[in-house]
């Protein structure tokens, strides 16, 4: 079939739109082994590893730059490379993992691990809009008018996970009771947890995972209830903004 010029132009524009509307970014690792120079650093702490995410692809240079800045370990975890190269020797490694990378969405987790009196670590779950390079917040993808209902939905899943954990172990039940009664300021009851208290979220094919850091002391860390709570797109549909990045999941 021979296409007329207007139809040909329209087809080209459509293909261009589809290409732009379903972007991803190439993410490759660059590993650097740093050496500490201070004399008082223990031998087993003389080095630490950092695996940097390196972004490339067809995105605009400004977007790639925002992704680099937005995943800067030293900014995200508020630590100093210079200090760690000298006598600050808690840090063992910095690493990342990509959870989702298509449909204009990059969901990435940054992890910091170290050893002091005990091994410890922290993970930041970040979501970026690949059209702009901007970090995505709850407000960018969920309707503000339904935020209370969304929070109620998340709390119900948290409560379910806590109930499951306490049924499996009396130690978990006692730990929860202790932290929620004697140190309520730091370990609030589920009913007192707000969206700002959640430790980020990640995107997947089947739903959104929300995270909460229970911050148990290291000696009872193994007793923590499950710290991630998955809600399907079917469950989230009433709360998802129709002009946001998640709209395509609930069409």
């Amino acid at each position: 079939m021979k296409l007329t010029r207007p139809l040909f132009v329209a087809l080209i524009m459509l293909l261009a739109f589809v290409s732009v509307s379903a972007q991803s970014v190439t993410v490759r690792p660059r590993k650097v082994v740093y050496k500490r120079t201070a004399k008082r650093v223990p031998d087993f702490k003389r080095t630490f590893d950092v695996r940097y995410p390196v972004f490339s692809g067809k995105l605009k240079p400004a977007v790639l730059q925002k992704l680099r800045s937005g995943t800067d370990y030293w900014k995200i975890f508020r630590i100093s490379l210079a200090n760690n190269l000298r006598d600050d020797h808690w840090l063992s490694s910095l690493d990342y993992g990509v959870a989702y990378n298509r449909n204009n969405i990059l969901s990435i987790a940054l992890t910091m691990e170290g050893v002091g009196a005990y091994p410890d670590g922290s993970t930041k779950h970040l979501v970026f809009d690949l059209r702009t390079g901007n970090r995505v917040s709850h407000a960018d993808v969920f309707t503000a008018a339904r935020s209370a209902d969304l929070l109620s939905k998340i709390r119900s899943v948290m409560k379910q996970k806590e109930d499951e954990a306490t049924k499996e172990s009396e130690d978990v039940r006692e730990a929860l009771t202790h932290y929620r009664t004697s140190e309520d300021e730091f370990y609030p009851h589920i009913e007192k947890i707000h969206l700002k208290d959640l430790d980020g979220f990640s995107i997947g094919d089947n739903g959104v995972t929300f995270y909460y850091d229970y911050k148990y002391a290291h000696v009872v860390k193994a007793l923590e209830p499950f710290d991630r709570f998955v809600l399907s797109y079917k469950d989230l549909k009433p709360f998802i903004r129709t002009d946001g990045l998640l709209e395509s999941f609930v069409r």
Side-chain angles (χ1 to χ4, degrees):
M1 180 181 69
K2 186 176 181 180
L3 296 177
T4 64
R5 180 175 176 79
L7 184 58
F8 176 77
V9 172
L11 179 60
I12 293 297
M13 292 179 65
L14 177 61
L15 292 174
F17 172 77
V18 171
S19 176
V20 170
S21 65
Q23 295 182 100
S24 62
V25 62
T26 300
V27 189
R28 294 190 176 93
R30 179 174 68 89
K31 183 177 180 180
V32 179
V33 179
Y34 292 99
K35 294 183 178 180
R36 294 184 170 101
T37 57
K39 293 182 179 180
R40 64 178 183 173
V41 175
D43 288 341
F44 76 99
K45 289 290 193 72
R46 281 292 169 188
T47 64
F48 61 94
D49 301 339
V50 179
R51 205 171 70 110
Y52 292 97
V54 179
F55 302 102
S56 61
K58 298 180 180 180
L59 301 182
K60 295 178 181 179
V63 172
L64 293 173
Q65 180 54 41
K66 282 187 176 182
L67 294 177
R68 296 183 193 107
S69 177
T71 56
D72 186 324
Y73 292 120
W74 315 104
K75 292 180 182 178
I76 295 296
F77 290 111
R78 298 181 180 179
I79 56 176
S80 166
L81 173 58
N83 288 344
N84 277 281
L85 289 174
R86 294 193 295 269
D87 57 358
D88 188 344
H89 54 267
W90 176 87
L91 181 67
S92 298
S93 66
L94 293 165
D95 203 353
Y96 74 93
V98 175
Y100 192 87
N101 180 21
R102 54 187 178 278
N103 297 326
N104 298 322
I105 301 171
L106 173 67
S107 182
I108 187 170
L110 307 183
T111 301
M112 172 177 67
E113 294 184 339
V115 179
Y118 303 98
D120 199 4
S122 177
T123 300
K124 301 294 185 182
H125 300 274
L126 313 176
V127 178
F128 294 91
D129 185 337
L130 294 180
R131 298 168 302 183
T132 63
N134 294 333
R135 183 174 172 181
V136 177
S137 68
H138 293 109
D140 294 320
V141 290
F142 298 112
T143 305
R146 299 294 306 276
S147 60
D149 296 326
L150 172 60
L151 180 59
S152 178
K153 194 79 172 178
I154 296 171
R155 284 172 174 169
S156 69
V157 179
M158 293 179 70
K159 180 66 165 57
Q160 176 188 343
K161 294 299 181 183
E162 285 193 7
D163 289 345
E164 290 174 357
T166 56
K167 288 178 181 177
E168 291 181 4
S169 170
E170 181 67 17
D171 290 336
V172 173
R173 187 190 66 77
E174 291 180 356
L176 274 172
T177 301
H178 166 72
Y179 285 119
R180 298 293 168 76
T181 55
S182 62
E183 303 182 60
D184 186 60
E185 178 182 355
F186 302 102
Y187 308 95
H189 287 271
I190 289 176
E191 294 76 13
K192 296 182 180 180
I193 292 172
H194 298 281
L195 288 176
K196 64 181 179 62
D197 299 317
L198 299 177
D199 197 29
F201 64 97
S202 62
I203 306 300
D205 285 316
N206 300 316
V208 177
T209 302
F210 300 89
Y211 300 86
Y212 178 69
D213 186 356
Y214 282 91
K215 299 183 176 69
Y216 276 23
H218 187 272
V219 291
V220 291
K221 195 75 174 175
L223 300 180
E224 281 189 352
F226 205 51
D227 64 353
R228 58 200 64 192
F229 316 98
V230 182
L231 288 176
S232 69
Y233 291 114
K234 180 180 179 181
D235 290 334
L236 289 171
K237 185 174 182 177
F239 317 115
I240 290 177
R241 286 178 49 165
T242 56
D243 60 346
L245 280 174
L246 302 184
E247 185 270 338
S248 62
F249 291 102
V250 294
R251 286 176 184 166

